[in-house]
Each structure stands twice: as structure tokens, then as C-alpha cells.
Amino acid sequence: MLEIALIGAGRIGQIHGRNIAAHPGAKLRWVTDVNAEAANKLASQLGAQSGTDAKKAIEDPAVKAVAICSSTDTHAEMIELAAKAGKAIFCEKPIDLSLERVDQCLATVRKAGVTMMIGFNRRFDASFAAVHEGIRSGKVGKLETLIITSRDPGPPPIGYIKVSGGLFRDMMIHDFDMATWLLGEMPTEVYATASNLVDPEIGKAGDIDTAMVVLKTKSGCIAQISNSRRAVYGYDQRIEAFGSKGMLQAGNQVANTVTFSGEPGVVGEKPLHFFLERYDAAYRVELQHFIDCVLGKAEPATSIEDGRNALALAEAAVQSLKSGAPVKVA
């Protein structure tokens, strides 16, 4: 039984906490959060100990792995505490908002020799994984263009926007990881353009809410990413991979596939509302993979290096938006 300490009892922490508690091979030993009430509530629901001292939970000898789901500004500190304690680490994205700080974490994790995995859950979605396998197996021939659409049903609170690190580092970072994974190579050039079309308060907070990014690889393959903080019809998550032999498409998931056909037209269900529903199964597959990695049955599919690569692309997008020109990625 793998005993795990959960750091962070917010929305994403609750997802991972419940999945850990329900897993037959894992035990949720600790739930910690700076908000004692939140930690106590989740811990009581899931049969775990609770507290506000993450260091105490991490250093508990019974704990063999740590799931870091706290605020982004705490991730690096928690990673280093866990690595130095010799614990396996699962950390939600991003590792940090600074590449320099990410590199420090990477060095600490490597020195400690512990297992570490980054929470890019979309890689574990069955449809997206099938697209990846189709590309790798040569089904579409030589990949030429990749189109990734990712639109939220609505923007998060302005308070969150102000501390998120911005759309590229917070939202599109998932798509940067997805692009690199599907392309099979790190993009070498990034061009970004963006606007404030959803909420003027987001612009006042120093962020953008609508963006398109074009990535180009050394081999010449081109990827396009489209993000919006608003999609009135639901959570819009689609991928198109086009190559010399054909195309693979992964469409939106809907609550059911029933359609009504009548004189006014044909009507079906909207996409699932948000990531909680859309990636529910992916989160469980992700946890299983992490446990397999801790037990030595697999190597992390989403490494700390993957986390660094996605942040490097996000940083390049920020630079491109400021300069209005493509930015080379080393």
C-alpha cells in the first residue's frame, strides 16, 4: 500500500485526493493546506490526517510519495523538500513561473535520484493518446501540421488571474506540452498574438484572454494553438494532426451522443462543461501511471524536463507577444 501525502486541498487537490483514497493500491495518509479548514474538511471525508504543516507530512516516515497540488508559488519549495526527504513526487503544473527556479528544482531532484512526474493530465486522455499513437505508428505519414484548440467555458476569478502567471504559463502550458508530445520534437520557433476580448478586467490585471500561437520545429512541422477564456457552448478541447497520408482528429466529448432531427435542424449535446468532467478518467489513469512509476513498473511519461520545456515555450510566447516577432527557442 503506497502511502501518499497530499499538499493542497483546493479544487485540483480534491480531485487527486479522492482518486488516491479510492485507489486499491494507495492510501491517503495526509492532507495539508495553509487553510486549516479546507485541509480538515477534505481529510475527514477521505480518512486522512490533516494539518497546515506540509513539511511534517512530507517527512513522515510512512509517506513514500507526495502529491503537490498547492498554489504555484509553493511548488518549487515543496518539490525540494520532498526530494531531500527521498520521497517520490507528483506535482501539478507549472513547476514554477521562473525557468531559473525550475532548473534549481531539476538539479535537486536529479541529485536526490527520486521519481518525479508533472501533472500534464491530457496525455492520459484516451482520445489524445490514440492520436499520439497514430502519429508515432505512421498512420498519417509524415506529420506536417498540428492544430490544438483549447477554450474554457468562462474565465477564472480576477484574483486567480492576478497570481496565475498569465494565460501562456497557466492555461496554454497544457497545450505547449501536448504540442511537444505530439510533434515528437521540441519547437524551435514561437510566434504569439493575443487580445482582450472576453473581460476588460483581465486586461487591467495585465493578462490576455484570447490567444493564438504558432510553433515551428526544426523539421519544418507547424503547430497552431488557439486559446480562449470563454466558450459559451462548453469546454472546447480538440486536436487535428495532418500528415502526408491523412489526418487524425480528436473531437469534443459530450454527455451523450443522442441527436434530435426535426424541421428546424439537427441538435445534439454541447461539450462537457469543464475539465473536471472532461478529464475525469484521465486523472485516474494519470494516478495509476504515477503509482506504477513509484513501484518501478514504468518511467514517468511526464518528466520534470517536460515541465521545463512547456514553460520555456510559454516564456517564448510572452516574449513574442511583447516584441510582435517570432522568438527562437534554444
Side-chain angles (χ1 to χ4, degrees):
M1 187 68 71
L2 181 67
E3 300 209 29
I4 300 175
L6 175 69
I7 313 302
R11 184 168 60 178
I12 194 67
Q14 291 171 32
I15 293 171
H16 290 302
R18 292 190 177 101
N19 286 339
I20 292 167
H23 194 285
K27 175 179 173 57
L28 185 63
R29 184 170 178 86
W30 281 96
V31 176
T32 73
D33 196 285
V34 293
N35 182 329
E37 183 179 353
N40 291 338
K41 182 178 180 180
L42 185 60
S44 64
Q45 291 173 354
L46 303 178
Q49 299 177 62
S50 69
T52 58
D53 189 347
K55 187 173 185 290
K56 178 181 178 181
I58 290 170
E59 294 179 349
D60 182 341
V63 169
K64 302 304 178 187
V66 178
I68 301 169
C69 304
S70 47
S71 60
T72 295
D73 61 336
T74 67
H75 288 182
E77 178 188 0
M78 295 298 107
I79 288 169
E80 291 180 335
L81 279 174
K84 291 173 182 177
K87 308 301 170 76
I89 304 163
F90 173 88
C91 183
E92 271 298 329
K93 60 79 195 167
I95 300 166
D96 195 80
L97 300 180
S98 160
L99 278 173
E100 181 180 0
R101 190 72 179 95
V102 170
D103 287 337
Q104 291 172 356
C105 283
L106 200 155
T108 301
V109 170
R110 284 176 173 168
K111 183 178 180 180
V114 297
T115 296
M116 180 164 174
M117 182 171 150
I118 300 299
F120 286 129
N121 62 295
R122 296 181 190 183
R123 292 199 191 191
F124 300 93
D125 174 74
S127 296
F128 294 167
V131 171
H132 179 265
E133 176 57 30
I135 294 170
R136 296 285 84 80
S137 67
K139 185 175 289 187
V140 299
K142 181 183 181 298
L143 185 64
E144 296 170 354
T145 61
L146 178 69
I147 298 174
I148 299 174
T149 301
S150 181
R151 301 179 180 126
D152 286 354
I158 293 300
Y160 176 86
I161 292 285
K162 291 179 178 179
V163 298
S164 69
L167 182 145
F168 293 130
R169 299 184 189 96
D170 171 59
M171 180 180 176
M172 196 180 286
I173 196 166
H174 275 293
D175 306 306
F176 287 132
D177 177 69
M178 186 61 57
T180 303
W181 182 53
L182 294 174
L183 290 167
E185 55 182 323
M186 181 69 172
T188 57
E189 185 178 284
V190 177
Y191 173 72
T193 185
S195 296
N196 284 112
L197 302 174
V198 176
D199 185 350
E201 292 301 314
I202 292 176
K204 292 178 183 177
D207 198 10
I208 41 92
D209 53 42
T210 306
M212 296 193 95
V213 169
V214 176
L215 310 171
K216 191 172 183 179
T217 69
K218 185 178 180 180
S219 68
C221 189
I222 298 171
Q224 173 192 297
I225 300 172
S226 175
N227 273 186
S228 174
R229 288 289 193 184
R230 177 187 59 205
V232 297
Y233 47 86
Y235 194 41
D236 193 357
Q237 300 281 290
R238 292 173 283 134
I239 289 177
E240 176 183 298
F242 176 83
S244 58
K245 292 183 179 178
M247 178 173 64
L248 288 165
Q249 290 179 304
N252 282 315
Q253 291 188 8
V254 296
N256 63 67
T257 59
V258 176
T259 58
F260 167 76
S261 299
E263 192 274 331
V266 179
V267 181
E269 287 282 349
K270 294 187 295 186
L272 295 177
H273 178 65
F274 207 15
F275 74 95
L276 297 172
E277 301 93 336
R278 172 63 178 80
Y279 292 115
D280 179 62
Y283 282 119
R284 293 195 297 272
V285 176
E286 180 182 53
L287 173 64
Q288 182 60 62
H289 179 70
F290 176 63
I291 291 173
D292 288 344
C293 291
V294 177
L295 298 178
K297 297 178 181 180
E299 290 296 321
T302 53
S303 67
I304 192 169
E305 289 83 3
D306 292 320
R308 189 195 189 282
N309 287 341
L311 183 62
L313 294 174
E315 291 297 325
V318 171
Q319 293 175 32
S320 176
L321 183 62
K322 289 179 179 178
S323 68
V327 171
K328 296 292 184 182
V329 181

